[in-house]
Amino acid sequence: MEFSLIERIRALTEQPRDDVRLGIGDDAALLSVPVGQDLAVAIDTLVEGVHFPPGTAAADIGWKALAVNLSDLAAMGASPAWALLALTLPQPNQAFVEDFSRGFAELARPHRLALVGGDTTRGPLSISVAVHGFVAPEKALVRTGAKVGDAVLVTGTLGDAAAGLHALGNPFQADDKHSSARDFLVARLNRPTPQLAAGSALRGLAHACIDISDGLVADLGHICTASGVAAEIDTALMPLSPALMALYDDASAQQFALTGGDDYELCFTVPMARLANVQSDLSRIGCGFTRIGRIVEGSGVKVRGANGEWLESGYAGWDHFA
Amino acid sequence: MEFSLIERIRALTEQPRDDVRLGIGDDAALLSVPVGQDLAVAIDTLVEGVHFPPGTAAADIGWKALAVNLSDLAAMGASPAWALLALTLPQPNQAFVEDFSRGFAELARPHRLALVGGDTTRGPLSISVAVHGFVAPEKALVRTGAKVGDAVLVTGTLGDAAAGLHALGNPFQADDKHSSARDFLVARLNRPTPQLAAGSALRGLAHACIDISDGLVADLGHICTASGVAAEIDTALMPLSPALMALYDDASAQQFALTGGDDYELCFTVPMARLANVQSDLSRIGCGFTRIGRIVEGSGVKVRGANGEWLESGYAGWDHFA
């Protein structure tokens, strides 16, 4: 049973690469890392009922299980190459596996990412993916490099995924007038786009970078802790999508943007002298971005409200055990 | 919460390595693969109630989650280097995490394996580990190389882990006379030893190799399918431990040896001309081994009974969805 499932996954995710000497089907995969490149590796797990609601489409789960991992590579400025998949299912459901694999492959294919190994087991629905990418030594984007005086920027818009999750639980908003906005937000939740091109463009420019999985304040807080600095950001500068603003009032939208997880945009810091380079390089690849604050001395993340007042802290973001 | 758990895991599993440029604590780990080596990677998941009984000690789970993965590297002839850990727990139980980490580290340390990244999430207890090792190109032990005329050998003894699981469910055998045998079998279940030294010794000698996780007949069957050959093995030649023979009659012991999973010994095929080399090389590292059959033309695994008769097939081994 397991064997035929793995064969289906292999067939649906096939991606030939010269650096895969031996792919799915033996005790381990054998891979060739290019000389002069470091290997960047990350692993992330999605659990039903914790990271996605029961009833989420299998294809969306497949996409997202890969996306959250590719987002980690994006935050390092690494280029993706290979993945391993550990898929735990309550029963051997071939239709689920096929849809899951199609969603996974839809995101993998444009990045030429090869699935090189995996394990299927019986148990409550959960998915762990480990991804591998390449980055030149000393060029990786880390969390520890933020410096006082840096500008703080984010790609894309914030709060959409959290609003999408909220909207899923509140069908009263599903009238015709708002359905396209709602669909946009739910798609941002279910099919996040890892910012790989932006991560690559920021290599050598950004001082520090992280992907926003736990929420802006929490994740920027990780940069501050790792770098020994503080950040000041401004709610008035939050990049909000038209869909988010159509469905929610300002206070809710800002709350989603500050603390909602799952957006998988990049948050990064840049020395002022390089701001023009960042602006031109990100514009060239069509990546939207917004300056939302600056790095200062101290610790933690301070948030300025719409009237210039400092908001109460307590933006804990997404706690994995909440 | 997650952060402090990860900090504890990091502290308890620390293993400095020059090839780890950046370990736990950023979006991805950054690693340096030696020039001239391929990277061998594998992932395996353990789910409570499927791969270990509820109530298994956390330290044993930590050991086993790593052991089953190192066993995959052993079966390729690869040397272990790094691991990623995805740990899913019903609640943030610090005592569990500490004991788990100690068991993991107890096995990792002698192999100088570094835990370089991970993810902790909330959900039903399960553990995925991805391991990374090195092997020279063209030297890896694969499943596809078995040739007609090869001898079939296994390391160690077979059936112990399956008997240990059976004994756990049958406390009637826990009298004083049998308690040390029982303890041995349960330890074989909970603390399997990956045969890394044997895998290394077999590089360049064995034609094909696999680790016995699903059961001898099932796993040797994988070699046969991958190599386009058949195997004949002899129940009278099964290597059985004194503990297994003390607690079970011949028929049960042979059944455990043929179809019981979880032993994590190596099953491999060797051309007759190299048998003496294998014998001397494995003896030199103190690894016990037994010749149990041979590779023939055809397909599938044929098992000869104690009186020379061919046994009914139907040894399906461990089905992950059974």
Side-chain angles (χ1 to χ4, degrees):
Chain A
M1 182 62 79
E2 192 207 16
F3 186 72
S4 71
L5 286 183
I6 289 172
E7 276 304 302
R8 287 305 292 153
I9 295 171
R10 168 154 74 171
L12 289 165
T13 61
E14 197 156 21
Q15 171 64 60
R17 285 181 65 104
D18 290 343
D19 54 15
V20 179
R21 310 226 183 189
L22 188 64
I24 293 173
D26 214 299
D27 293 296
L30 297 176
L31 307 165
S32 170
V33 176
V35 173
Q37 297 279 296
D38 274 356
L39 186 70
V41 300
I43 192 167
D44 264 314
T45 301
L46 301 186
V47 178
E48 184 183 46
V50 179
H51 302 92
F52 56 87
T56 301
D60 289 341
I61 299 170
W63 172 291
K64 189 164 183 174
L66 179 57
V68 302
N69 279 282
L70 290 182
S71 182
D72 283 323
L73 293 185
M76 301 301 286
S79 304
W82 315 303
L84 303 171
L85 167 66
L87 178 57
T88 302
L89 291 173
Q91 61 276 327
N93 181 335
Q94 177 141 348
F96 181 95
V97 167
E98 298 204 346
D99 288 346
F100 176 94
S101 300
R102 286 194 187 94
F104 185 99
E106 219 177 311
L107 179 58
R109 199 162 294 128
H111 297 294
R112 295 198 54 245
L113 177 127
L115 183 66
V116 296
D119 186 26
T120 59
T121 54
R122 179 169 60 83
L125 181 58
S126 85
I127 305 99
S128 290
V129 172
V131 286
H132 301 74
F134 309 138
V135 63
E138 316 300 328
K139 292 285 184 186
L141 302 171
V142 294
R143 298 181 180 179
T144 49
K147 301 234 171 345
V148 172
D150 282 359
V152 176
L153 293 90
V154 293
T155 61
T157 57
L158 299 182
D160 297 326
L165 182 63
H166 181 271
L168 276 182
N170 292 274
F172 66 89
Q173 290 163 318
D175 58 76
D176 283 354
K177 188 177 138 210
H178 292 122
S179 68
S180 74
R182 191 173 179 281
D183 290 349
F184 172 86
L185 297 177
V186 172
R188 288 274 287 162
L189 173 71
N190 288 335
R191 296 247 174 172
T193 302
Q195 297 295 337
L196 287 157
S200 292
L202 292 171
R203 277 198 309 258
L205 291 177
H207 271 163
C209 186
I210 194 168
D211 67 321
I212 301 175
S213 55
D214 296 349
L216 172 64
V217 174
D219 289 313
L220 179 54
H222 293 320
I223 286 183
C224 290
T225 302
S227 300
V229 297
E232 295 177 356
I233 59 175
D234 206 319
T235 53
L237 300 176
M238 290 300 110
L240 306 178
S241 68
L244 179 61
M245 289 189 289
L247 283 189
Y248 293 92
D249 62 28
D250 285 1
S252 300
Q254 280 168 2
Q255 181 73 13
F256 285 133
L258 288 167
T259 66
D262 261 7
D263 281 321
Y264 301 100
E265 299 293 343
L266 298 182
C267 174
F268 54 100
T269 85
V270 174
M272 296 302 291
R274 292 190 199 140
L275 209 48
N277 301 72
V278 167
Q279 288 171 331
S280 81
D281 286 4
L282 290 184
S283 299
R284 193 174 305 134
I285 59 169
C287 174
F289 56 92
T290 307
R291 188 173 159 189
I292 60 167
R294 60 189 186 128
I295 297 294
V296 297
E297 289 184 2
S299 65
V301 176
K302 293 174 74 179
V303 180
R304 204 187 314 265
N307 303 314
E309 79 287 13
W310 293 112
L311 299 182
E312 283 299 307
S313 66
Y315 289 115
W318 173 257
D319 182 331
H320 292 239
F321 281 105
Chain B
M1 183 62 78
E2 192 207 17
F3 187 70
S4 71
L5 285 183
I6 289 172
E7 277 302 304
R8 287 304 292 152
I9 295 171
R10 168 153 75 170
L12 290 165
T13 61
E14 197 157 21
Q15 170 64 60
R17 286 181 64 104
D18 289 345
D19 55 16
V20 179
R21 312 226 183 191
L22 187 64
I24 293 172
D26 213 300
D27 293 296
L30 297 175
L31 308 165
S32 171
V33 176
V35 174
Q37 297 279 296
D38 274 356
L39 186 70
V41 300
I43 192 166
D44 264 313
T45 301
L46 301 185
V47 179
E48 184 182 46
V50 179
H51 301 92
F52 56 88
T56 301
D60 288 341
I61 299 170
W63 172 290
K64 188 164 183 173
L66 180 57
V68 303
N69 279 282
L70 290 183
S71 183
D72 283 324
L73 294 186
M76 301 302 286
S79 304
W82 315 303
L84 303 170
L85 167 66
L87 177 57
T88 302
L89 290 173
Q91 62 277 326
N93 179 335
Q94 179 142 347
F96 180 95
V97 166
E98 298 203 346
D99 288 345
F100 175 94
S101 300
R102 286 193 187 95
F104 185 98
E106 220 177 310
L107 178 59
R109 201 162 293 126
H111 297 294
R112 297 197 54 244
L113 178 128
L115 184 65
V116 297
D119 186 27
T120 59
T121 53
R122 179 169 60 82
L125 181 58
S126 84
I127 307 99
S128 290
V129 172
V131 286
H132 300 75
F134 309 138
V135 63
E138 316 301 327
K139 292 284 185 187
L141 301 172
V142 294
R143 296 182 182 180
T144 48
K147 301 235 172 341
V148 172
D150 282 0
V152 176
L153 293 89
V154 293
T155 60
T157 57
L158 299 182
D160 297 327
L165 183 62
H166 181 270
L168 276 181
N170 291 274
F172 65 89
Q173 290 164 317
D175 57 72
D176 282 356
K177 189 177 137 211
H178 291 122
S179 69
S180 74
R182 190 173 179 281
D183 290 350
F184 172 87
L185 297 177
V186 172
R188 289 274 288 162
L189 172 71
N190 287 336
R191 295 247 174 171
T193 303
Q195 297 296 336
L196 287 157
S200 292
L202 291 171
R203 277 198 309 260
L205 291 177
H207 270 164
C209 186
I210 194 168
D211 68 320
I212 301 176
S213 55
D214 296 349
L216 172 64
V217 174
D219 288 315
L220 179 53
H222 293 319
I223 285 183
C224 290
T225 302
S227 300
V229 296
E232 294 177 356
I233 59 174
D234 206 320
T235 53
L237 300 177
M238 289 300 112
L240 306 177
S241 68
L244 180 59
M245 290 190 289
L247 282 189
Y248 292 93
D249 62 28
D250 286 2
S252 300
Q254 281 168 2
Q255 181 73 13
F256 284 134
L258 288 167
T259 65
D262 261 7
D263 281 320
Y264 300 100
E265 299 294 342
L266 298 182
C267 175
F268 54 100
T269 84
V270 174
M272 296 302 292
R274 291 191 200 140
L275 209 47
N277 302 71
V278 167
Q279 287 170 333
S280 82
D281 286 3
L282 290 184
S283 299
R284 192 174 304 133
I285 60 169
C287 174
F289 57 92
T290 307
R291 188 172 158 190
I292 60 167
R294 60 191 186 127
I295 297 295
V296 296
E297 289 186 3
S299 65
V301 177
K302 293 174 74 179
V303 181
R304 205 188 315 264
N307 303 312
E309 79 288 11
W310 293 112
L311 300 182
E312 283 299 307
S313 66
Y315 289 114
W318 172 257
D319 181 330
H320 292 239
F321 281 106

